[in-house]
Amino acid sequence: MRPVRAPWICIDCYRAARRRQNLRSSISIRHGSVSSPLPSKATRPLRVGIIGSGPAGFYAAARILKKSDTACVDVYEKLPVPFGLVRYGVAPDHPEVKNCEERFEQVAESERFTFIGNAEIGSSIPLSKMKVHYDALLFAYGAAKDRKLGIPGEELDGVYSARAFVGWYNGLPEHRNFLPNLDSDTAVVIGHGNVALDVARILLTSRKELARTDISEQALEGLSESRVQRVVVAGRRGPMQGSFTIKEIRELMQVPRARFLNKDPSLIPTTTYISQLPRLEQRKYRMAGLLKQGTPPVNLGEKHWELWSMVSPTAFEAEPTTSALGRVSFRRNDFADPNMKFEKTAKVVSSDETSHVDTSLAFTSIGYQSIPLPGLTEDLKVQFNSRVGVIPHDGFGRAISGEGELVHGCYCTGWVKNGPTGVIATTMDDAFASADSIVRDWESGKQLLNGKAESRRNDNAYGWTGLREDVQLSQPISWTDWKMIDQTEVMRGREYHKPREKFTSIPEMLGVASGS
């Protein structure tokens, strides 16, 4: 029987998930059933600490609780509020992507689940103290650092990271004081990924459209004063090599009163070219049809966006005698093999041809990067690859030490495992795989953080119950506390006729949770 899509999974994520054999064989999307767990050799419950309450952390928690009838899972979050990327990374005009929060709410209702917010692992909770209270630790936190272009002028006024901009309009406390100067008729976005298109779409969307979303009021006011009429989205390879999805391109095409200009149509395969390919190969060129079609006539207006391909930024140049951005310079690229220009794996080489865009506003969107938690290597012997920003693993989520050996009881999933790639569906698959490794290792009696299951005693001393006696947190936030914050945000949103108005201040969140 074909699985039925649950309401908390958007149609695009559902379709992507359906294409993955491991999902079809191991989970009923409607009911969340999983394959039967292995016979347990343990004499007491498995205790898992998960660091990070975004999609990776919650999907892993759900999987562990399903596969082990007695497992107890504690999810730790640096902020007082859960959901990570879903709350602070998904664009406000994408409410359907946030439907997975309903599933996460169900997970949190389990008596074997505990949420600990406002808890910074590595500082307020040292890993050295944390590890003695758990059988397994799963690192599921995201990326808190921007990748840099490494070109002159990146520090100029008017050059912003897409991560900061996204955090600002989504109400992330870290960026509540972010004040982009949008007094420019042209904006340049460096990058050909979904986040780059999110930035372009938000810049082109009217205040009326955004006001119906959960965008922060501060950002809404700032965007309402924007002078941006033209957005240039620039990437170093062609549109067929872009990391953006069809869904993102389609939505940008549908922004009211904003038209699309393609800088180089020759980089898009023709209908004739595509029709000559085998049927299975034709599917990967659906993006081409969308780009060829362009903007619906009803959307023609003053604003527009341009897709620049085959260009690499070489410098952000300042206005004379100022520290403000004046223009962005580019060098043109060529395909190393012209016959590969429509292939995803095509490589490019730089040429001598240059160009530039006069603007005082630019965003860099070339990816995020995770950073190691304090004590990760020193206390747990877990290796961290700082160059790419990931925890090395065995392919199934088991962390590896600097000597290349497995670190018993330490696991990873999500962006800190794979880098900032994929969508919610791929995050779910990956979280399931790492969670399965934890349960499989426990059920088979393998060595974990503090020995094998049968050697552990003093049942009351483990997990958050035991850890909270060893650390001093000023105000740990429970799931009940979060629900108070949640309900207050929804009430605040009614004043603005929107789904919610998020708190952008941690002290305000803590004040609501404490009833003050």
Side-chain angles (χ1 to χ4, degrees):
M1 180 183 294
R2 180 172 178 160
V4 178
R5 180 174 67 91
W8 58 78
I9 300 180
C10 76
I11 187 62
D12 295 290
C13 292
Y14 168 74
R15 287 170 177 165
R18 278 282 298 156
R19 289 194 291 269
R20 294 177 173 79
Q21 181 63 37
N22 68 318
L23 185 62
R24 291 198 297 269
S25 63
S26 66
I27 180 171
S28 162
I29 293 179
R30 182 171 196 174
H31 299 293
S33 60
V34 298
S35 55
S36 301
L38 296 168
S40 177
K41 295 181 181 180
T43 57
R44 58 160 190 79
L46 164 67
R47 282 185 169 80
V48 181
I50 297 179
I51 296 100
S53 68
F58 262 98
Y59 277 126
R63 184 73 162 187
I64 292 168
L65 292 173
K66 281 286 186 180
K67 295 208 76 174
S68 174
D69 294 336
T70 60
C72 296
V73 176
D74 299 336
V75 172
Y76 292 84
E77 170 58 49
K78 176 182 178 180
L79 293 171
V81 294
F83 304 144
L85 184 68
V86 175
R87 178 179 168 95
Y88 290 121
V90 174
D93 57 345
H94 283 174
E96 75 284 351
V97 181
K98 301 184 181 185
N99 288 341
C100 57
E101 289 182 6
E102 298 177 17
R103 169 60 174 147
F104 302 159
E105 293 274 359
Q106 295 176 6
V107 174
E109 291 174 1
S110 171
E111 294 181 350
R112 296 181 286 125
F113 175 94
T114 302
F115 173 76
I116 307 99
N118 197 34
E120 191 166 4
I121 304 301
S123 56
S124 57
I125 299 182
L127 286 170
S128 59
K129 291 187 176 181
M130 190 176 188
K131 69 177 183 178
V132 300
H133 293 286
Y134 289 96
D135 301 299
L137 293 178
L138 175 63
F139 297 95
Y141 62 93
K145 180 181 177 183
D146 297 297
R147 292 188 186 277
K148 297 293 185 181
L149 286 165
I151 61 176
E154 209 162 354
E155 75 292 340
L156 289 176
D157 297 335
V159 180
Y160 307 105
S161 78
R163 189 179 75 87
F165 187 66
V166 170
W168 174 64
Y169 65 61
N170 274 324
L172 181 63
E174 176 186 348
H175 298 299
R176 70 183 307 243
N177 295 321
F178 177 76
L179 297 173
N181 183 355
L182 305 179
D183 187 22
S184 174
D185 61 355
T186 298
V188 173
V189 184
I190 309 295
H192 271 185
N194 283 343
V195 175
L197 297 195
D198 279 344
V199 171
R201 193 178 66 256
I202 294 297
L203 288 171
L204 294 169
T205 301
S206 69
R207 177 193 172 105
K208 180 181 178 181
E209 296 293 325
L210 291 175
R212 295 187 287 225
T213 73
D214 67 354
I215 190 172
S216 75
E217 281 299 303
Q218 181 189 32
L220 187 62
E221 290 302 317
L223 287 165
S224 67
E225 299 175 1
S226 168
R227 288 183 49 244
V228 174
Q229 298 290 306
R230 173 197 183 204
V231 178
V232 174
V233 182
R236 68 183 184 87
R237 297 193 296 169
M240 294 299 97
Q241 291 81 44
S243 299
F244 41 67
T245 61
I246 291 178
K247 178 176 181 291
E248 289 285 340
I249 284 286
R250 183 185 297 116
E251 290 185 347
L252 191 47
M253 294 283 192
Q254 294 173 347
V255 173
R257 295 172 297 281
R259 57 196 175 100
F260 165 62
L261 299 177
N262 185 22
K263 191 72 172 175
D264 189 350
S266 70
L267 296 174
I268 302 174
T270 63
T271 303
T272 301
Y273 174 88
I274 297 173
S275 65
Q276 295 172 350
L277 299 171
R279 183 172 296 274
L280 287 177
E281 287 193 40
Q282 291 183 23
R283 292 184 61 185
K284 66 182 181 182
Y285 291 109
R286 287 183 298 167
M287 181 82 72
L290 198 59
L291 292 171
K292 283 283 188 185
Q293 178 182 336
T295 312
V298 70
N299 282 354
L300 294 181
E302 294 182 359
K303 294 183 178 181
H304 72 273
W305 67 281
E306 304 170 18
L307 190 64
W308 283 31
S309 300
M310 305 298 290
V311 291
S312 294
T314 55
F316 296 106
E317 300 180 24
E319 287 281 3
T321 71
T322 74
S323 61
L325 177 67
R327 73 177 188 176
V328 183
S329 295
F330 295 93
R331 184 180 300 279
R332 176 164 179 84
N333 298 322
D334 295 320
F335 283 107
D337 181 352
N339 295 322
M340 293 284 289
K341 70 177 182 178
F342 300 143
E343 299 301 317
K344 196 74 174 177
T345 57
K347 296 184 181 340
V348 296
V349 293
S350 62
S351 72
D352 294 329
E353 184 180 341
T354 62
S355 60
H356 70 268
V357 177
D358 292 324
T359 182
S360 60
L361 178 62
F363 299 89
T364 59
S365 182
I366 59 169
Y368 305 159
Q369 192 167 1
S370 298
I371 58 178
L373 295 176
L376 184 68
T377 301
E378 298 85 351
D379 298 331
L380 298 180
K381 308 305 179 188
V382 172
Q383 185 183 7
F384 190 87
N385 187 329
S386 296
R387 185 179 63 83
V388 293
V390 298
I391 294 175
H393 55 90
D394 69 342
F396 300 95
R398 299 177 181 90
I400 292 177
S401 71
E403 290 72 38
E405 299 178 350
L406 293 180
V407 181
H408 300 299
C410 290
Y411 305 81
C412 55
T413 186
W415 283 8
V416 76
K417 174 185 175 186
N418 306 303
T421 61
V423 294
I424 299 292
T426 54
T427 298
M428 178 176 64
D429 285 353
D430 184 75
F432 285 173
S434 294
D436 287 349
S437 293
I438 294 173
V439 176
R440 188 175 296 113
D441 289 350
W442 170 261
E443 298 286 359
S444 61
K446 289 186 178 179
Q447 174 112 3
L448 295 179
L449 270 177
N450 298 285
K452 297 184 178 180
E454 55 268 28
S455 67
R456 298 288 301 278
R457 296 199 177 126
N458 193 6
D459 196 46
N460 293 326
Y462 302 117
W464 171 238
T465 302
L467 178 58
R468 68 187 308 166
E469 302 297 326
D470 287 350
V471 297
Q472 292 185 347
L473 294 185
S474 58
Q475 188 181 342
I477 297 297
S478 67
W479 194 257
T480 301
D481 296 333
W482 148 243
K483 294 307 295 181
M484 293 176 63
I485 298 171
D486 176 42
Q487 292 165 11
T488 305
E489 288 184 342
V490 172
M491 290 177 59
R492 281 157 46 101
R494 290 174 186 157
E495 299 177 21
Y496 300 98
H497 307 286
K498 59 197 294 190
R500 72 172 61 235
E501 175 60 19
K502 298 173 188 171
F503 289 107
T504 59
S505 163
I506 291 178
E508 287 181 328
M509 296 178 188
L510 298 179
V512 171
S514 65
S516 60

